[in-house]
Amino acid sequence: MSALQDRIAQARAEGRAALLGYLPVGYPDVPRSIEAMVALVEGGADAVEIGVPYSDPGMEGPVIQEAMDVAVRAGVGLRDVFGAVRAVADAGAVPVVMSYWNPIEHYGVDRFADDLAAAGGAGAITPDLIPDEAAPWLAATERTGLDRVFLVAPSSTDARLAATVAACRGFVYAASTMGVTGARATVSDAAERLVTRTRAVAGELPVCVGLGVSTGDQAAEVAGFADGVIVGSAYVRRVLDGRGPEGVRALSAELAEGVRRGAGVPS
Amino acid sequence: MTSSAVHPPQDRPAPARPSWPDATGHFGVFGGRFVPEALIAALDELTEAYEAMRVDPAFLAEFAALQRDYTGRPSPVTEVPRFAEHAGGARVLLKREDLNHTGSHKINNVLGQALLTRRIGKQRVIAETGAGQHGVATATAAALMGLSCTIYMGEEDTRRQALNVARMRLLGAEVIPVTTGSRTLKDAINEAFRDWVTNVETTNYVFGTVAGPHPFPAMVRDFQRVIGDEARAQVLEREGRLPDAVLACVGGGSNAIGIFTAFVPDEGVRLVGLEAGGDGVDTGRHAATITGGAPGVLHGARSYLLQDDNGQTIESHSISAGLDYPGVGPEHSFLHDVGRAEYRPVTDAEAMEAFALLCRTEGIIPAIESAHALAGALVLGRELGPDALLLVNLSGRGDKDVETASRWFGLGDREHVEPGAGMDTDQRPTEGAVVNDEAVAGQDAGESA
């Protein structure tokens, strides 16, 4: 069983897509980042991707880089995410960690899996770890029952899509555009094509779309073809702009309305 | 000579390619691919194109012609006896990559990768650069082959290496100063990867060293191994024996892998990589990745890296922009772990002392990067004693470093001469100290006595 898959299935049963929001722990500091995550849940998100600050976040655009840079300089790291995991779980959403690979490898793959499971985390999303290199992580997640979410991209071949989907548990993260994280004016056509291709090999495993969604209207559009909508930079932007928990809560409410309006959730 | 009996000539007509990495780019536990899925298709495309190209006679002929007619290969081997007087009586030979077109070994690799770019039909290249040598080389190859070119360079490095920024712009490249993180080479690599993942359909990433995700470490090694292939034959021809040790500086490690590879099967030849010790490894302000780091993942591969308790990359420190990198190529980590190569730190002060010595004894201004290898030779020569034969890769020339060196030695203001200070030094001179020619000459005489 998978906590993430169950929650996304529950949203589907309600005739909507799930909303997954991302915030890094440690910006502007650890307590206030956790407050923002709780507000994100209260506004209507189903799951929170708790970001681990990293010194070399190769997939991030300027917004998330800026927040991570502050957190890294303050010495925030993987050990600080477990408190956030508990807070998100207590607030009623599914906590999932999002981390570049080196912080996990340095912490110890098995130790991380044990500590994450003990804190009530559902699993982890690993943006720079492909299943080909993931043997220790696959073993640790088998042992602990944690979810493991890998990414697929528009450039993935059919063979790689199939192999990556087969390695995922919880959901498949469809990185919808070729590029780094950050708000974009329009949802790319590539997103729907990628979801269609992924769904063809995903069976019951949900497919969630990330990269570029920032508004309720965009969330509605993505909800029309995906099982879940992932929003990151737009939340981080609110925190960077000093709009705090209120700003995050309001964005969640707008996006939660969007994923319901998107209606046409494919069965 | 007795030593020729120890190292008899071992002619190998076509030096073998090492059996590593494996098909998925692993050197033992090191290497591999730790990148977003979005880049895998491009890395696969590069791997496939490169594997076809490297055995294609037409490519090999074109590559060889460029190396000869454009780069000026083979580069000579020069014996430096006046310098060697300070190396415990050992003999020192320099492989003169500083004489290549564009002034360093970097051109060897970029010509190969530029040909590969053309073969896969892309019109734009991007690259990272630290000291600017790889950026200049890439801009040069792009101009030669009609490719559009964007270079990412840490803002801090654009200040340290202003001359190379100007060279790149003269060659038609766009130079983008990187203002994130530590504003040095590691951040330039992050930005180049971000550009690549966004523009991968039109753009090829010409990686500058033997680091990064597969296939870069193996491909860059293959393009750089000409250094050692030539040097091994040159030393055998002139000396009738192999060197006792081969020395090279190691940042990412491409010039070192380039000269090491041909000698890896020669078990009697010590392979010594000199890392940037900065202010000293025990101060924490250094770039000696293997000496002072631990295995981890950075920039797409598992290798040694400088990292803190959270697995965050630690900012490195070196007077040499080209060595100021907290990672190292995975093949070096492998050669270290299996004991085939050894890695030693050289401080800024030791490197600058060797820099000054080569200038004054041989009339060769080395790159500060290469001066680390020279400093290593001074120490190893004293360890091995008379009759030892050392081969040092002089990976680049020091034109780009004139300003840094002038500041270090206090050459800016002749009004404030302090006899005995300046270049006659084994420690950082005080501000305002100025080199004194007689003092340096005196040092030469004293130390060679």
Side-chain angles (χ1 to χ4, degrees):
Chain A
M1 86 160 236
S2 153
L4 278 165
Q5 188 168 349
D6 288 353
R7 180 62 68 100
I8 297 166
Q10 186 186 324
R12 189 189 303 197
E14 295 168 11
R16 65 179 178 90
L19 173 63
L20 297 81
Y22 167 95
L23 280 173
V25 72
Y27 186 88
D29 54 36
V30 172
R32 283 187 285 173
S33 69
I34 293 176
E35 279 173 35
M37 290 177 204
V38 170
L40 192 157
V41 176
E42 291 167 352
D46 298 288
V48 180
E49 298 181 3
I50 300 162
V52 176
Y54 179 51
S55 52
D56 296 271
M59 231 188 114
E60 309 304 342
V63 171
I64 293 178
Q65 277 183 54
E66 185 179 342
M68 276 195 176
D69 196 44
V70 170
V72 168
R73 284 175 195 282
V76 179
L78 187 57
R79 61 178 176 251
D80 297 299
V81 304
F82 304 110
V85 165
R86 287 188 200 92
V88 166
D90 290 347
V94 179
V96 55
V97 167
M98 184 152 187
S99 181
Y100 287 83
W101 187 242
N102 196 53
I104 294 176
E105 181 160 306
H106 193 76
Y107 190 84
V109 176
D110 283 312
R111 178 181 168 217
F112 169 67
D114 290 339
D115 291 356
L116 180 58
I125 305 164
T126 50
D128 62 345
L129 183 71
I130 57 174
D132 319 47
E133 300 282 357
W137 176 233
L138 297 179
T141 48
E142 282 307 309
R143 183 172 61 74
T144 53
L146 289 171
D147 287 334
R148 50 183 185 246
V149 177
F150 298 102
L151 279 61
V152 294
S155 59
S156 302
T157 61
D158 288 344
R160 284 201 65 81
L161 272 186
T164 304
V165 164
C168 286
R169 191 161 60 204
F171 69 91
V172 184
Y173 191 124
S176 61
T177 53
M178 295 297 286
V180 296
T181 56
R184 287 174 176 77
T186 57
V187 174
S188 102
D189 294 340
E192 186 165 1
R193 283 199 300 276
L194 176 60
V195 170
T196 303
R197 291 176 61 216
T198 307
R199 212 185 271 294
V201 291
E204 284 301 299
L205 197 61
V207 181
C208 301
V209 169
L211 294 199
V213 175
S214 62
T215 68
D217 286 347
Q218 289 174 330
E221 189 180 348
V222 172
F225 58 82
D227 299 306
V229 179
I230 302 167
V231 179
S233 294
Y235 280 116
V236 178
R237 180 81 265 164
R238 296 274 168 126
V239 182
L240 286 178
D241 288 350
R243 286 189 273 175
E246 294 71 26
V248 168
R249 191 180 292 107
L251 178 60
S252 267
E254 177 189 337
L255 295 165
E257 184 275 329
V259 297
R260 282 167 175 78
R261 173 152 47 96
V265 178
S267 56
Chain B
M1 292 210 309
T2 51
S3 47
S4 61
V6 179
H7 302 300
Q10 300 167 28
D11 281 311
R12 293 187 309 259
R17 197 183 191 217
S19 59
W20 52 83
D22 65 16
T24 51
H26 296 90
F27 302 82
V29 300
F30 300 107
R33 283 180 177 170
F34 294 83
V35 294
E37 169 66 20
L39 286 176
I40 297 294
L43 292 169
D44 280 343
E45 177 190 34
L46 265 186
T47 306
E48 195 177 321
Y50 172 63
E51 288 300 320
M53 193 174 85
R54 73 180 184 84
V55 293
D56 175 359
F59 159 73
L60 293 172
E62 186 174 13
F63 190 39
L66 278 173
Q67 289 184 326
R68 183 189 63 232
D69 303 334
Y70 191 71
T71 305
R73 302 208 72 89
S75 65
V77 164
T78 304
E79 179 155 15
V80 285
R82 278 172 37 80
F83 176 83
E85 286 173 14
H86 302 263
R91 294 176 57 208
V92 178
L93 305 175
L94 304 183
K95 177 61 173 168
R96 301 293 306 280
E97 293 298 299
D98 61 315
L99 297 179
N100 293 340
H101 178 46
T102 74
S104 81
H105 71 292
K106 293 293 188 185
I107 192 76
N108 303 331
N109 168 45
V110 299
L111 289 175
Q113 290 201 50
L115 288 173
L116 184 61
T117 303
R118 213 168 60 185
R119 188 179 180 116
I120 59 180
K122 291 181 176 175
Q123 296 300 316
R124 175 175 180 259
V125 291
I126 57 173
E128 83 293 346
T129 197
Q133 294 301 88
H134 176 58
V136 167
T138 304
T140 299
L144 177 68
M145 298 189 197
L147 303 167
S148 129
C149 179
T150 299
I151 304 294
Y152 290 92
M153 188 169 187
E155 190 183 49
E156 171 74 17
D157 292 335
T158 62
R159 274 196 295 271
R160 285 195 280 195
Q161 305 289 343
L163 174 68
N164 274 342
V165 173
R167 291 170 78 196
M168 288 183 267
R169 288 182 171 146
L170 285 172
L171 290 161
E174 174 190 22
V175 180
I176 299 182
V178 174
T179 58
T180 53
S182 58
R183 306 181 180 212
T184 60
L185 178 56
K186 101 178 165 64
D187 308 284
I189 293 174
N190 291 336
E191 278 307 300
F193 271 117
R194 290 180 185 119
D195 180 315
W196 201 28
V197 76
T198 306
N199 301 299
V200 68
E201 278 184 32
T202 60
T203 299
N204 190 30
Y205 186 178
V206 176
F207 205 73
T209 190
V210 288
H214 180 62
F216 290 117
M219 179 168 70
V220 176
R221 174 195 67 197
D222 291 353
F223 289 142
Q224 291 291 3
R225 67 167 297 163
V226 65
I227 303 170
D229 288 344
E230 285 178 5
R232 188 176 181 281
Q234 288 166 318
V235 173
L236 276 179
E237 186 184 343
R238 59 178 286 154
E239 304 295 333
R241 58 169 289 202
L242 292 170
D244 296 291
V246 178
L247 300 96
C249 64
V250 177
S254 70
N255 90 83
I257 285 292
I259 198 163
F260 285 176
T261 297
F263 294 96
V264 166
D266 300 316
E267 287 176 11
V269 179
R270 285 172 71 173
L271 305 178
V272 184
L274 289 312
E275 299 193 300
D279 293 344
V281 173
D282 53 356
T283 67
R285 291 178 51 83
H286 63 89
T289 309
I290 292 178
T291 306
V297 168
L298 175 66
H299 292 148
R302 181 177 290 115
S303 194
Y304 279 78
L305 66 115
L306 303 180
Q307 54 187 324
D308 68 11
D309 291 346
N310 284 322
Q312 314 288 8
T313 311
I314 294 173
E315 293 177 14
S316 55
H317 295 275
S318 170
I319 190 171
S320 148
L323 303 182
D324 196 353
Y325 179 56
V328 66
E331 190 167 1
H332 285 294
S333 295
F334 172 72
L335 291 173
H336 169 263
D337 274 16
V338 301
R340 180 62 192 95
E342 56 196 289
Y343 296 84
R344 301 176 167 197
V346 169
T347 63
D348 288 352
E350 292 165 337
M352 294 312 290
E353 188 183 4
F355 175 99
L357 192 60
L358 192 72
C359 291
R360 294 306 180 95
T361 58
E362 300 287 349
I364 298 171
I365 302 177
I368 294 176
E369 290 77 12
S370 318
H372 288 69
L374 294 167
L378 294 176
V379 173
L380 188 64
R382 289 171 202 144
E383 289 172 16
L384 296 182
D387 297 332
L389 184 63
L390 308 183
L391 174 65
V392 178
N393 196 12
L394 196 72
S395 55
R397 64 179 176 233
D399 306 37
K400 68 186 175 56
D401 295 317
V402 164
E403 199 181 323
T404 302
S406 297
R407 253 197 323 278
W408 178 274
F409 296 118
L411 295 178
D413 181 0
R414 303 293 297 191
E415 299 295 310
H416 297 90
V417 178
E418 292 178 20
M423 287 174 77
D424 176 17
T425 180
D426 55 7
Q427 58 186 13
R428 186 189 286 268
T430 53
E431 198 172 343
V434 174
V435 70
N436 178 296
D437 293 2
E438 285 73 33
V440 172
Q443 177 202 28
D444 279 359
E447 289 197 12
S448 58

